[in-house]
Amino acid sequence: MPDEMARPLIRGRGERGGSRCLEASMSDPGAPVVGILGTGDFSRSLARRLVASGYQVVVGSRTPKRSAALFPEEAEVTSQMEAASQADLVFVAVFPEHHSTLVELKPTLAGKTLVDVSNGLRVNLDGPSNAELLADLFPESIIVKGFNTISAWSLQMGPRDGSRQVFLCSDSSKAKSSVMQLCRRLGFIPVDMGLLSSSLEIENLPLYLFPSWRIPVLCTIALFISFYLYNFLRDILQPFVTAGKSVFYKMPIETVNVTLPSVALVMFSLVYVPGLCAAFLQLWWGTKYNRFPKWLDGWLTRRKQFGLCSFLCAVLHAVYSMCLPLRKSFRYKLLNLAVKQVKDRVEDSWDSAEAWRMELYISVGIIALGLLSLLAVTSLPSVANTVNWREFSFIQSTLGYCALSMATLHTLLYGWDRAFDPAQYRFNLPPTFVLVLILPVTVLLGRLALLVPCVAMRLGKVRRGWEKSRHIRFTLPDDGSHNGLEDVSHV
Amino acid sequence: MPDEMARPLIRGRGERGGSRCLEASMSDPGAPVVGILGTGDFSRSLARRLVASGYQVVVGSRTPKRSAALFPEEAEVTSQMEAASQADLVFVAVFPEHHSTLVELKPTLAGKTLVDVSNGLRVNLDGPSNAELLADLFPESIIVKGFNTISAWSLQMGPRDGSRQVFLCSDSSKAKSSVMQLCRRLGFIPVDMGLLSSSLEIENLPLYLFPSWRIPVLCTIALFISFYLYNFLRDILQPFVTAGKSVFYKMPIETVNVTLPSVALVMFSLVYVPGLCAAFLQLWWGTKYNRFPKWLDGWLTRRKQFGLCSFLCAVLHAVYSMCLPLRKSFRYKLLNLAVKQVKDRVEDSWDSAEAWRMELYISVGIIALGLLSLLAVTSLPSVANTVNWREFSFIQSTLGYCALSMATLHTLLYGWDRAFDPAQYRFNLPPTFVLVLILPVTVLLGRLALLVPCVAMRLGKVRRGWEKSRHIRFTLPDDGSHNGLEDVSHV
Amino acid sequence: MPDEMARPLIRGRGERGGSRCLEASMSDPGAPVVGILGTGDFSRSLARRLVASGYQVVVGSRTPKRSAALFPEEAEVTSQMEAASQADLVFVAVFPEHHSTLVELKPTLAGKTLVDVSNGLRVNLDGPSNAELLADLFPESIIVKGFNTISAWSLQMGPRDGSRQVFLCSDSSKAKSSVMQLCRRLGFIPVDMGLLSSSLEIENLPLYLFPSWRIPVLCTIALFISFYLYNFLRDILQPFVTAGKSVFYKMPIETVNVTLPSVALVMFSLVYVPGLCAAFLQLWWGTKYNRFPKWLDGWLTRRKQFGLCSFLCAVLHAVYSMCLPLRKSFRYKLLNLAVKQVKDRVEDSWDSAEAWRMELYISVGIIALGLLSLLAVTSLPSVANTVNWREFSFIQSTLGYCALSMATLHTLLYGWDRAFDPAQYRFNLPPTFVLVLILPVTVLLGRLALLVPCVAMRLGKVRRGWEKSRHIRFTLPDDGSHNGLEDVSHV
């Protein structure tokens, strides 16, 4: 029989190879019994991990003989009926479209806990969830939803590389507790998500594709395209149209390199706009107990993503800039300038103002990039976890405004006196650096306005819970924490 | 009534928007009851999270009607007295200065567990802590301190982005256990900090501002200013004073770029000084059981911070260097050189030694920076957690010394034979690269000394617990681990 | 007595210094009693941490008087016999070679739980483990293996900086459970590894030196050396041998900088080879239930390491490139070119094709590097933990293939039309860029083949569990998860 022949290939000590193997060499006979229905990748990895953590595992398969070869030696592979009857806790690792094939087990599974690990194929916002459908199929069993966010991969490798959370929900607290305990013994961190009605949310979790990044990324792309076209018009089309000079070679690098810092600066300003809006709204309302409009709430929660998009553009700008002198076009221009200087018999071409301008704006730009890098590093989850609230707000607010000021100064120094030079207004369009300065300068002025003592005091009062409309004493804020959302809108 | 009108804005399914919502649609009636006193941001986020994790929540407010709109539908908002009487576990989320307003609840709260989540406004080293004051106010209740390090923000978003630890302490093990269990069900990781006397420490935790970074950052700044002034004197003031040559344009970039590598090299050497000191002290004492002086202990624990400051300077140095050819001043000088070369009729200006020197020191510098980057990446908490002790010590010690050797070699190659050129000693001051070589060369020689077989053997013996002063057999070290502090001082 | 004199130095409040101190000021008298045998660094840190978490600690020492000074005030330091008799849970923190000195405690320790925290000195593949030897010595005690992966350092500092996992195993579920609970109270995350037979594996864990990095790093080094020699032959030796032109100065930078991108591109292609092999094997077999050959399994699990090695080479290539115009040799060449141009009376040396080629390949190269950086950042454990399976596979597969295409395009643009220029075939050897294009182009074509609708459909069917050899309905896959290994081989 081929199944029998396949076995030695699949099991046995030699198989373990160099990888760190988790299996205990034999299952503990007194250990709790856990059932698994289904023989796919997930079932196999789950069985392996359960065995390794000291559980007795019974796998229910439609073709137990054939499937046995795929499971660790210590797991018992038997019929679905047999597995369902042996265990009190049964994992249902069957495609949801085949859940109905399990109905014959209904009497056997009555009163037992079924863990539904299934996932949907696409985000399902309307319900019902797979788990709820399973609960309808097995009304006498207790359904726990969970483990769907865990991959077979991390089950097999063990949760060593990082703390993996398992989101669980069920209408029975007792069943949930026992699954949570199992979770912990496998080395995962269970998170209680409440009643089974949360299962839809849990099933959708692994299906989202960067929901919080969508707007910031679209924003970056839109800004990039607009600024690119604008710069193309001014820097490439204008000389071509007016003087017939072809400088199309600038498209891949130079135009990109003028566009990137513009995007970076605008995106970075957009990080600080919602916090200012929130502060001014609270001042206007005279209370912190009004809800912000939805767009503002959404913006406040996406500031990190805006900041990281800005950081990416800033880094690319730095790399593009540093590649400028590498280019053949740079070399040709330099050589032609040298020839021209020899021809014109100029011994010293030194222009002190130009030299100073460039030294200054490069230096300030590097400092801005350095500060931005610190902000980016502290956005890493593991670093963010090691700083406390005061440290986090120091970095994101104080260092952040320093970085914004430096980036603005970098642009101002780059502009120098050229904003007042009519030759820069090709096609009557102002240079990009003039346009992009509007937003950051406004943000910095708004921030300065909040630092004016009387404004700052009033805002402070509002954030400690004072309200304009109420002066009765006993309605004073009863809030015991300074670690709250108020500080988030404070930044 | 305005309260009633506000409701639909605040609650209801539509409100949930795009954010991943945690609320279960209704609370489990058989679930444990948790009380919350206070209606601030923290209370609201806590209520939301508790409801989502299947708890019944009773919020005590002075103005229940008005506050109800701010809480999830499933939470019951009632008077403080009512909330206090319904729950056995009560969160006190009231500003500590208003704790005294709760005294009327004293009889109701007797025998119940109060969780104090309050924070101080500034670091309090003398005590008593808020929790201890609360315990004095409610002597018949059991006080548990905790949750103050958690922000309303991460309560609301759920602990998904990283494992958040909750530090708890209490004089009652039972009360602490039940709060720890609640903690786990919310998805946080409780850390037992012992008795209520630890509450001062716990309250101070979120108020520190990078205590371990203070000395390394101050050290970096002090070194930067000293070296900058020294270089300013030698490179800018000297030509101005002696020859009237104005090269002040070098201040923003070139002088900074000579200063940064000096700071980086000295700071990086300082990472390895305390380890060497510790080793030599242990050799001198002939035992590892003596405590190191306090300054050495402090230095040993701050080596990572010293290393990261050094890394920042090294990266900035690299960026500044790569920006050098971008500058207008670079271009002017090159053009003037070309004109001069044409005028002097020199066809080939190639200087082989100079070319080799520069190729070599740039290449070695890049390698040093690459090694430093590996060290920096493994300093990230999440990466450090995935390596075992042997791997960590391989990177920090072996790779670290390689990086130090490369950085020293980079400086030596940069210096080439110029240390022996009297023209370099302007104002009789030695060039910076001579000064900064002293410390790393000493460190490398010290490290080599420890590799001499007889020294290495003796140190090994000391670190396995051998003592010079004792030769009796049975006092041999009874230490079962090689994962200890000895290895820390070993680096 | 010297011991008595040493005390004030070692204990007392003043000692605590600035570091965040964990100790409770006095131990809870009703707290559980934990014993520790041994007085080394590990014992001391463990005692400190246990006391801080509210345990009563009894330390057994051969020289209790002298050792007492090394332990926190709250721990009782007494004789080994006394400690063994007082506690039911005893940590054995004695070097394994001295385990035998504890035999006299055998009757006292009977029925108690011994936690063996010892480590080996080198990887031990044959067994028996220290814990198994200890179990042989104390057959009447229950042995739990664990804590050996935790350093004295992280015990002392507390597990604040990252979630530290403690791997435990034992033949007794009850004893294991109680140690797991202790683990959690100390703030660590216990991971159940099954029976005591796993102790060998646990003891080896801290002794491995980057096992998963060995092959990728060796591969990188081998490729680097081969390409370096090849380039040395073509670019340096050939001009020297044929024309007597010495360009050995190119060795440290230019040759390295031609070698690095070759290694990076080949290594990056190797990331995608095993996934393609797996897909074609599955298509060939017509089933996903066959095991892959061992080499392929190993390769699949090491793709991340291959990718990061490639990333390192790519970054170094970028840095080397950006340093090119810094070099004296670059300046000399430029000056000589200028002189030549003046002499030849060429006013404009502009070569449009060359300029375009360079602008394009630099721009594409930067984009490739940007994409690679995104891949590298999401390889960080803490970032990888925050993305769900769909996001992870989007980044690693979609973005990854984009990066590979860009890197290939970068090389193609660099090559331009020079692949057909006989002058490039020095010594009849093709230029490196021709050689390194073979693999990535093959990979990209293979990937395109899998996108052909009929192939894609068949592969999809196979991965949902369809099998060529079976057409009976009820053997359809019963796998409820899309979060499985199939996707891993899908990339």
Side-chain angles (χ1 to χ4, degrees):
Chain A
M1 280 182 289
D3 293 339
E4 291 301 318
M5 286 171 65
R7 274 201 188 190
L9 269 169
I10 288 155
R11 294 193 302 199
R13 295 242 151 207
E15 253 304 287
R16 300 186 170 195
S19 82
R20 300 171 182 183
C21 179
L22 296 169
E23 287 133 281
S25 54
M26 55 164 248
S27 255
D28 192 347
V33 182
V34 174
I36 303 176
L37 298 176
T39 57
D41 293 322
F42 189 83
S43 311
R44 278 136 67 191
S45 302
L46 180 64
R48 195 170 290 252
R49 184 112 213 108
L50 284 167
V51 165
S53 297
Y55 285 95
Q56 271 196 81
V57 175
V58 196
V59 179
S61 167
R62 291 180 175 277
T63 54
K65 260 201 169 165
R66 191 167 154 270
S67 307
L70 300 161
F71 282 83
E73 215 159 38
E74 300 83 358
E76 186 189 342
V77 182
T78 174
S79 71
Q80 295 196 330
M81 187 59 84
E82 182 64 23
S85 67
Q86 276 188 40
D88 286 331
L89 181 65
V90 179
F91 281 86
V92 182
V94 175
F95 277 120
E97 56 265 39
H98 300 117
H99 277 168
S100 55
T101 65
L102 302 173
V103 277
E104 57 193 74
L105 307 174
K106 206 166 169 174
T108 323
L109 290 173
K112 302 195 165 183
T113 301
L114 304 186
V115 185
D116 175 31
V117 304
S118 70
N119 268 325
L121 283 176
R122 68 205 63 209
V123 173
N124 170 359
L125 292 173
D126 307 320
S129 67
N130 296 336
E132 285 164 334
L133 292 172
L134 190 69
D136 290 343
L137 270 178
F138 295 93
E140 287 164 77
S141 306
I142 305 141
I143 310 295
V144 177
K145 178 79 211 181
F147 281 94
N148 60 314
T149 53
I150 300 298
S151 69
W153 184 255
S154 63
L155 269 173
Q156 201 177 42
M157 301 303 284
R160 264 173 224 168
D161 49 345
S163 61
R164 291 261 173 201
Q165 294 181 312
V166 172
F167 299 98
L168 296 171
C169 71
S170 173
D171 287 339
S172 153
S173 299
K174 210 180 131 227
K176 193 159 52 179
S177 288
S178 70
V179 178
M180 286 177 103
Q181 205 188 335
L182 178 140
C183 232
R184 276 193 212 103
R185 283 193 60 179
L186 301 192
F188 292 95
I189 301 172
V191 180
D192 189 331
M193 298 283 281
L195 298 180
L196 198 63
S197 51
S198 301
S199 57
L200 193 65
E201 179 61 24
I202 297 181
E203 284 176 14
N204 282 334
L205 277 181
L207 298 172
Y208 291 119
L209 189 58
F210 297 110
S212 58
W213 284 90
R214 204 160 297 162
I215 291 173
V217 167
L218 286 178
C219 204
T220 310
I221 294 174
L223 280 171
F224 185 87
I225 294 176
S226 325
F227 278 120
Y228 190 89
L229 289 177
Y230 186 82
N231 288 321
F232 178 78
L233 205 70
R234 281 188 77 255
D235 299 342
I236 297 177
L237 220 56
Q238 194 266 358
F240 186 68
V241 169
T242 58
K245 229 172 101 189
S246 159
V247 287
F248 290 98
Y249 78 94
K250 287 185 176 178
M251 282 168 63
I253 295 196
E254 288 187 30
T255 312
V256 170
N257 198 32
V258 179
T259 307
L260 281 172
S262 312
V263 179
L265 188 56
V266 172
M267 288 296 289
F268 196 48
S269 310
L270 290 178
V271 171
Y272 292 98
V273 169
L276 286 178
C277 287
F280 282 112
L281 269 180
Q282 287 180 337
L283 276 174
W284 173 259
W285 288 335
T287 174
K288 68 163 184 173
Y289 292 106
N290 286 6
R291 278 242 170 160
F292 295 128
K294 220 171 130 183
W295 58 267
L296 187 54
D297 256 344
W299 198 348
L300 282 166
T301 60
R302 272 164 190 80
R303 287 178 292 178
K304 179 174 140 184
Q305 285 78 8
F306 272 89
L308 289 175
C309 284
S310 161
F311 176 64
L312 182 68
C313 293
V315 168
L316 285 177
H317 166 52
V319 174
Y320 269 102
S321 300
M322 293 188 293
C323 284
L324 291 178
L326 267 181
R327 299 168 308 149
K328 283 273 158 69
S329 53
F330 178 88
R331 183 186 300 189
Y332 296 145
K333 278 192 189 164
L334 209 61
L335 289 174
N336 294 348
L337 272 177
V339 172
K340 192 167 170 292
Q341 196 172 330
V342 169
K343 214 178 129 198
D344 299 351
R345 295 177 189 277
V346 181
E347 286 226 346
D348 189 354
S349 55
W350 190 268
D351 175 343
S352 196
E354 272 293 284
W356 267 99
R357 181 180 78 92
M358 197 130 187
E359 305 278 329
L360 282 175
Y361 88 69
I362 289 183
S363 193
V364 169
I366 296 175
I367 294 169
L369 188 68
L371 290 172
L372 258 177
S373 308
L374 291 184
L375 293 182
V377 167
T378 47
S379 295
L380 287 173
S382 64
V383 178
N385 282 346
T386 59
V387 301
N388 65 37
W389 183 253
R390 196 178 151 212
E391 291 165 346
F392 186 77
S393 109
F394 171 77
I395 289 175
Q396 298 298 329
S397 176
T398 313
L399 277 195
Y401 269 106
C402 283
L404 184 59
S405 312
M406 281 293 155
T408 310
L409 188 60
H410 173 62
T411 317
L412 282 169
L413 285 169
Y414 173 82
W416 204 249
D417 54 4
R418 294 192 292 182
F420 313 109
D421 174 10
Q424 294 283 330
Y425 290 76
R426 303 178 201 145
F427 280 160
N428 286 322
L429 296 172
T432 338
F433 65 83
V434 172
L435 290 182
V436 296
L437 275 171
I438 299 168
L439 194 59
V441 167
T442 315
V443 167
L444 289 173
L445 290 178
R447 178 66 185 155
L448 280 178
L450 289 181
L451 291 179
V452 172
C454 63
V455 183
M457 242 177 63
R458 192 183 164 97
L459 188 63
K461 275 203 303 189
V462 166
R463 285 194 173 148
R464 292 282 287 189
W466 175 87
E467 293 185 76
K468 190 166 67 178
S469 53
R470 311 202 157 219
H471 302 285
I472 319 156
R473 268 221 135 198
F474 67 83
T475 56
L476 255 172
D478 31 22
D479 178 10
S481 70
H482 319 300
N483 39 13
L485 288 168
E486 71 268 39
D487 294 307
V488 170
S489 54
H490 168 230
V491 183
Chain B
M1 280 178 292
D3 294 336
E4 290 301 318
M5 286 171 65
R7 275 203 186 189
L9 269 169
I10 287 152
R11 293 192 303 201
R13 293 244 150 207
E15 252 306 286
R16 300 188 168 192
S19 81
R20 299 171 183 183
C21 178
L22 296 170
E23 288 132 278
S25 55
M26 55 165 247
S27 254
D28 193 348
V33 183
V34 173
I36 302 176
L37 299 176
T39 57
D41 294 320
F42 189 83
S43 309
R44 277 136 68 190
S45 303
L46 179 63
R48 196 170 289 253
R49 186 112 214 110
L50 283 167
V51 165
S53 297
Y55 285 94
Q56 273 197 77
V57 175
V58 197
V59 179
S61 166
R62 291 180 174 276
T63 54
K65 262 202 168 165
R66 191 166 153 269
S67 306
L70 300 161
F71 282 84
E73 216 159 36
E74 301 82 0
E76 187 190 341
V77 181
T78 174
S79 71
Q80 295 197 330
M81 186 61 83
E82 182 64 25
S85 67
Q86 276 189 38
D88 285 332
L89 182 65
V90 179
F91 280 86
V92 182
V94 175
F95 276 121
E97 56 264 40
H98 301 117
H99 277 169
S100 54
T101 66
L102 303 172
V103 276
E104 56 193 78
L105 307 173
K106 207 168 171 176
T108 324
L109 290 172
K112 301 196 166 183
T113 301
L114 305 186
V115 185
D116 175 32
V117 303
S118 69
N119 268 324
L121 284 177
R122 67 205 65 209
V123 174
N124 170 359
L125 292 172
D126 306 319
S129 67
N130 297 337
E132 284 165 334
L133 291 173
L134 190 69
D136 289 345
L137 270 178
F138 296 92
E140 286 163 76
S141 307
I142 305 142
I143 309 295
V144 176
K145 177 80 209 181
F147 282 94
N148 59 314
T149 53
I150 301 298
S151 68
W153 184 255
S154 64
L155 268 173
Q156 200 178 41
M157 301 303 284
R160 264 172 223 168
D161 51 343
S163 61
R164 292 260 174 200
Q165 295 181 312
V166 171
F167 300 97
L168 296 170
C169 72
S170 172
D171 287 339
S172 153
S173 300
K174 212 182 130 226
K176 192 160 52 180
S177 288
S178 69
V179 177
M180 287 176 101
Q181 206 187 334
L182 178 141
C183 233
R184 276 192 212 103
R185 282 192 61 178
L186 302 192
F188 292 94
I189 302 172
V191 180
D192 190 331
M193 297 283 281
L195 298 179
L196 197 64
S197 51
S198 301
S199 56
L200 193 65
E201 180 61 25
I202 296 182
E203 285 176 14
N204 283 334
L205 276 181
L207 298 173
Y208 291 120
L209 188 60
F210 297 111
S212 57
W213 284 91
R214 203 158 298 162
I215 291 172
V217 167
L218 286 178
C219 205
T220 310
I221 293 174
L223 280 172
F224 185 87
I225 292 176
S226 325
F227 279 121
Y228 189 88
L229 290 177
Y230 187 83
N231 287 321
F232 178 77
L233 205 70
R234 280 189 77 256
D235 298 343
I236 297 178
L237 220 56
Q238 195 266 356
F240 186 69
V241 168
T242 59
K245 229 171 100 187
S246 159
V247 287
F248 289 100
Y249 79 92
K250 287 186 176 178
M251 282 169 63
I253 296 195
E254 289 188 32
T255 312
V256 170
N257 198 31
V258 180
T259 307
L260 282 171
S262 312
V263 179
L265 188 56
V266 172
M267 288 296 288
F268 197 47
S269 310
L270 290 178
V271 172
Y272 293 97
V273 169
L276 287 178
C277 287
F280 283 112
L281 268 181
Q282 288 180 336
L283 277 174
W284 173 260
W285 288 335
T287 176
K288 68 164 182 171
Y289 294 106
N290 285 5
R291 279 244 169 157
F292 294 130
K294 220 171 130 183
W295 59 267
L296 187 55
D297 256 342
W299 197 348
L300 281 166
T301 60
R302 272 163 191 80
R303 285 179 293 178
K304 179 175 140 182
Q305 284 78 8
F306 273 89
L308 289 175
C309 285
S310 161
F311 176 63
L312 181 68
C313 292
V315 169
L316 285 177
H317 167 51
V319 174
Y320 269 103
S321 300
M322 293 188 294
C323 285
L324 291 179
L326 269 181
R327 299 168 308 149
K328 283 273 159 66
S329 54
F330 179 88
R331 184 187 299 188
Y332 297 146
K333 277 194 190 163
L334 209 61
L335 289 174
N336 294 348
L337 273 177
V339 172
K340 193 167 170 292
Q341 196 172 329
V342 170
K343 213 178 130 196
D344 299 351
R345 296 176 189 278
V346 181
E347 286 225 347
D348 189 354
S349 56
W350 190 268
D351 175 343
S352 197
E354 272 292 284
W356 267 98
R357 181 180 77 94
M358 197 129 184
E359 305 279 330
L360 282 175
Y361 88 67
I362 289 183
S363 194
V364 170
I366 295 175
I367 295 169
L369 187 68
L371 290 172
L372 257 178
S373 307
L374 291 183
L375 292 182
V377 167
T378 46
S379 296
L380 287 173
S382 64
V383 178
N385 282 346
T386 60
V387 301
N388 64 36
W389 183 253
R390 196 178 151 210
E391 292 165 346
F392 186 77
S393 110
F394 170 77
I395 289 174
Q396 298 299 329
S397 176
T398 313
L399 278 196
Y401 270 106
C402 283
L404 184 59
S405 311
M406 282 293 156
T408 310
L409 188 58
H410 173 63
T411 317
L412 282 169
L413 285 168
Y414 173 82
W416 204 250
D417 54 2
R418 295 192 292 183
F420 314 110
D421 173 10
Q424 294 283 331
Y425 290 75
R426 303 178 201 144
F427 280 160
N428 286 322
L429 297 171
T432 339
F433 65 82
V434 173
L435 290 182
V436 296
L437 276 170
I438 299 169
L439 194 59
V441 167
T442 315
V443 168
L444 289 172
L445 290 178
R447 177 66 183 155
L448 281 177
L450 290 181
L451 292 178
V452 171
C454 63
V455 182
M457 240 176 63
R458 192 182 163 99
L459 187 63
K461 274 201 305 188
V462 166
R463 284 191 173 150
R464 293 284 285 188
W466 175 87
E467 294 185 76
K468 193 167 65 174
S469 53
R470 310 201 156 221
H471 301 285
I472 320 157
R473 267 221 134 197
F474 67 83
T475 55
L476 255 172
D478 30 21
D479 178 10
S481 71
H482 319 301
N483 39 12
L485 287 168
E486 71 268 38
D487 294 306
V488 171
S489 55
H490 168 230
V491 183
Chain C
M1 280 179 293
D3 292 338
E4 290 302 318
M5 286 172 65
R7 274 202 186 189
L9 268 169
I10 287 153
R11 292 193 303 202
R13 294 246 149 205
E15 253 304 286
R16 300 185 169 196
S19 82
R20 302 171 181 182
C21 179
L22 296 170
E23 286 133 279
S25 55
M26 56 164 246
S27 254
D28 192 346
V33 182
V34 174
I36 303 175
L37 298 177
T39 56
D41 294 321
F42 189 83
S43 310
R44 276 137 66 190
S45 302
L46 180 63
R48 195 171 290 250
R49 186 114 211 107
L50 284 167
V51 164
S53 296
Y55 285 94
Q56 273 197 77
V57 175
V58 196
V59 180
S61 165
R62 291 179 174 278
T63 54
K65 260 202 170 166
R66 193 168 150 266
S67 306
L70 299 161
F71 283 84
E73 216 159 36
E74 301 83 359
E76 187 190 341
V77 182
T78 174
S79 71
Q80 295 196 330
M81 186 60 84
E82 183 63 25
S85 67
Q86 275 188 39
D88 284 332
L89 181 65
V90 179
F91 281 85
V92 182
V94 174
F95 277 121
E97 56 265 40
H98 300 117
H99 276 169
S100 54
T101 64
L102 303 172
V103 275
E104 57 193 76
L105 307 173
K106 206 167 171 177
T108 323
L109 290 172
K112 303 195 165 183
T113 301
L114 304 187
V115 185
D116 176 30
V117 303
S118 70
N119 269 323
L121 283 177
R122 66 205 65 209
V123 174
N124 171 359
L125 292 172
D126 307 318
S129 67
N130 296 336
E132 285 164 334
L133 291 173
L134 190 69
D136 290 345
L137 269 178
F138 295 93
E140 287 164 74
S141 308
I142 306 142
I143 309 294
V144 176
K145 177 79 210 182
F147 281 93
N148 60 314
T149 53
I150 301 298
S151 68
W153 184 255
S154 64
L155 269 173
Q156 201 179 40
M157 301 304 282
R160 264 174 224 167
D161 50 343
S163 61
R164 291 262 172 200
Q165 296 181 311
V166 172
F167 300 98
L168 296 171
C169 71
S170 173
D171 287 340
S172 154
S173 300
K174 210 181 131 227
K176 193 160 51 180
S177 288
S178 68
V179 177
M180 287 176 101
Q181 205 189 334
L182 178 139
C183 233
R184 275 192 214 105
R185 283 193 59 180
L186 301 192
F188 293 95
I189 302 172
V191 180
D192 190 331
M193 298 282 283
L195 298 180
L196 198 64
S197 51
S198 302
S199 57
L200 193 64
E201 179 62 23
I202 296 181
E203 285 177 14
N204 282 334
L205 277 181
L207 298 172
Y208 290 119
L209 189 59
F210 297 110
S212 57
W213 284 91
R214 204 159 297 162
I215 293 173
V217 167
L218 286 178
C219 206
T220 310
I221 293 173
L223 280 172
F224 185 87
I225 293 175
S226 324
F227 279 120
Y228 189 88
L229 290 177
Y230 187 83
N231 288 321
F232 178 77
L233 205 69
R234 280 188 78 255
D235 299 342
I236 297 177
L237 220 56
Q238 195 265 359
F240 186 69
V241 169
T242 58
K245 228 173 99 189
S246 160
V247 288
F248 289 99
Y249 79 92
K250 288 186 176 178
M251 282 169 63
I253 295 195
E254 289 187 30
T255 313
V256 170
N257 197 32
V258 179
T259 306
L260 281 172
S262 312
V263 178
L265 188 56
V266 172
M267 288 296 290
F268 196 47
S269 310
L270 289 178
V271 172
Y272 293 97
V273 169
L276 286 177
C277 287
F280 283 111
L281 268 180
Q282 287 179 336
L283 277 174
W284 174 258
W285 287 335
T287 175
K288 69 163 182 172
Y289 294 105
N290 285 6
R291 279 245 171 156
F292 295 129
K294 219 171 129 183
W295 58 267
L296 187 55
D297 257 343
W299 198 347
L300 282 165
T301 59
R302 272 166 191 78
R303 286 180 293 179
K304 178 174 139 183
Q305 284 78 9
F306 272 90
L308 288 175
C309 284
S310 160
F311 176 65
L312 182 68
C313 293
V315 168
L316 285 178
H317 167 50
V319 173
Y320 269 104
S321 301
M322 293 189 292
C323 285
L324 291 178
L326 267 182
R327 300 168 308 151
K328 283 274 159 66
S329 53
F330 179 88
R331 183 187 300 188
Y332 297 146
K333 277 192 188 164
L334 209 62
L335 289 174
N336 294 348
L337 273 176
V339 172
K340 194 168 169 290
Q341 196 172 327
V342 169
K343 213 178 130 197
D344 298 351
R345 292 175 194 276
V346 181
E347 285 223 350
D348 190 353
S349 54
W350 191 269
D351 175 342
S352 195
E354 273 291 283
W356 267 99
R357 181 180 77 93
M358 196 127 185
E359 305 276 330
L360 282 175
Y361 87 70
I362 289 183
S363 193
V364 170
I366 295 175
I367 294 169
L369 188 68
L371 290 172
L372 258 178
S373 306
L374 290 183
L375 293 181
V377 167
T378 47
S379 295
L380 287 173
S382 64
V383 178
N385 282 347
T386 60
V387 301
N388 66 36
W389 184 253
R390 195 175 152 214
E391 292 165 346
F392 186 77
S393 109
F394 170 79
I395 289 174
Q396 298 298 328
S397 177
T398 314
L399 277 195
Y401 269 106
C402 283
L404 184 59
S405 312
M406 282 293 156
T408 310
L409 188 60
H410 172 63
T411 318
L412 282 169
L413 284 168
Y414 174 82
W416 205 249
D417 54 2
R418 295 192 292 184
F420 313 109
D421 173 11
Q424 294 283 331
Y425 290 76
R426 304 180 199 142
F427 280 161
N428 286 321
L429 295 172
T432 339
F433 65 82
V434 173
L435 290 182
V436 295
L437 276 171
I438 300 168
L439 194 60
V441 167
T442 315
V443 167
L444 288 172
L445 290 177
R447 177 66 184 156
L448 280 177
L450 289 182
L451 291 179
V452 172
C454 63
V455 182
M457 241 178 62
R458 192 182 165 97
L459 188 62
K461 275 203 304 189
V462 166
R463 287 195 172 147
R464 291 283 286 187
W466 175 88
E467 292 186 76
K468 191 167 67 178
S469 53
R470 311 205 156 216
H471 301 286
I472 320 157
R473 266 221 137 198
F474 68 83
T475 58
L476 255 173
D478 30 23
D479 178 11
S481 72
H482 319 300
N483 40 13
L485 287 168
E486 71 268 41
D487 293 305
V488 170
S489 53
H490 169 229
V491 184

